[in-house]
Amino acid sequence: MESTIPEWPDAEVWPFLSAMRADPDDFVTPLVFADWLEERGDPRADMLRASCEVALHRFHEAGPAPPEVLARLAPWEFGGPLQKAWLGELHELYFWVTHLRRGLLSVTVDGECGFLDEEYPRFFDAFRQGWVDEAVFVGLPSDVFHSPPGVQSLLRGVDRLELVYGSHYRYALDDDVLSAVAMLPNLIRLSIEGCDGFTDAGLAHLGNHPRLECVQLEGTFTAEGYAHLDTLPRLRKAAVGNYARR
């Protein structure tokens, strides 16, 4: 018999989910939320507890969680029966759930993905309720601004966005791309490999971005250009030309 996932009014779950997304290091709120769900017979209660256990084990033990904990989480991961019951069938090539952390979803979207909201109603219901914390967009950064409405709403609506452009894509990009990307306030990671068309002007566009934590770029830069990275308040890791921070 197919599992069913209860539906709750947005107003009842939003306070829990928004608090969880606001503080990635908060493990109290997810467990309180798990108790709330368990009292109402929602199987996502154990998913929250198991994903918290996995995250805490990796943090304290620097290794995988015990097999019995991972087994509890497996039905909620990609292709699992409980994930399908909750989010519906997702496209395995262009759009999938990468992992769960503290019960929140991280998704990966390929740049060629063309889905619309109505194609995946259960997933977008979960997204609008606040269950999605992070999206990784793989492909040309400019595709973010020319993607269908469903992709647009997801990439602009998540709290944490990563843009990853691999070296196997051989396109010419310039500083105008960085100007557009810098307009995404939720961007936390920008990685563009195999493109050396960036200059100091591109780094200037990124300067003072409020959320950027990781930047990886190739191009022709000077010391004056690197100085723009020093204005990023949350920068933790950078590899830009000869500039590196770890």
Side-chain angles (χ1 to χ4, degrees), residues 199-209 212 215 221-233 235 238 240 243 245:
T199 69
D200 290 354
L203 298 184
H205 292 312
L206 299 178
N208 294 310
H209 191 286
L212 260 178
V215 180
F221 309 108
T222 67
E224 288 76 12
Y226 298 144
H228 293 296
L229 297 177
D230 293 331
T231 67
L232 296 173
L235 186 67
V240 177
Y243 177 101
R245 177 190 294 184

Side-chain angles (χ1 to χ4, degrees), residues 159-179:
D159 288 318
R160 297 166 58 83
L161 173 65
E162 300 185 18
L163 300 182
V164 181
Y165 175 75
S167 58
H168 54 286
Y169 296 96
R170 305 302 298 185
Y171 294 99
L173 302 178
D174 58 23
D175 294 326
D176 289 340
V177 168
L178 298 185
S179 174

Side-chain angles (χ1 to χ4, degrees), residues 31-103:
L31 297 178
V32 173
F33 187 27
D35 291 342
W36 187 92
L37 292 171
E38 184 177 50
E39 291 170 358
R40 291 157 179 79
D42 192 318
R44 286 174 293 190
D46 191 57
M47 179 271 290
L48 265 81
R49 294 189 182 110
S51 59
C52 284
E53 289 181 47
V54 169
L56 287 169
H57 189 88
R58 286 175 178 165
F59 178 78
H60 293 293
E61 306 294 335
E68 59 270 20
V69 177
L70 297 176
R72 289 162 52 202
L73 202 55
W76 297 96
E77 295 179 334
F78 184 75
L82 290 177
Q83 184 187 112
K84 290 181 181 179
W86 179 20
L87 305 175
E89 291 277 0
L90 304 182
H91 199 299
E92 62 181 322
L93 295 179
Y94 299 127
F95 169 51
W96 63 95
V97 174
T98 313
H99 62 271
L100 290 155
R101 187 175 187 278
R102 301 178 305 126

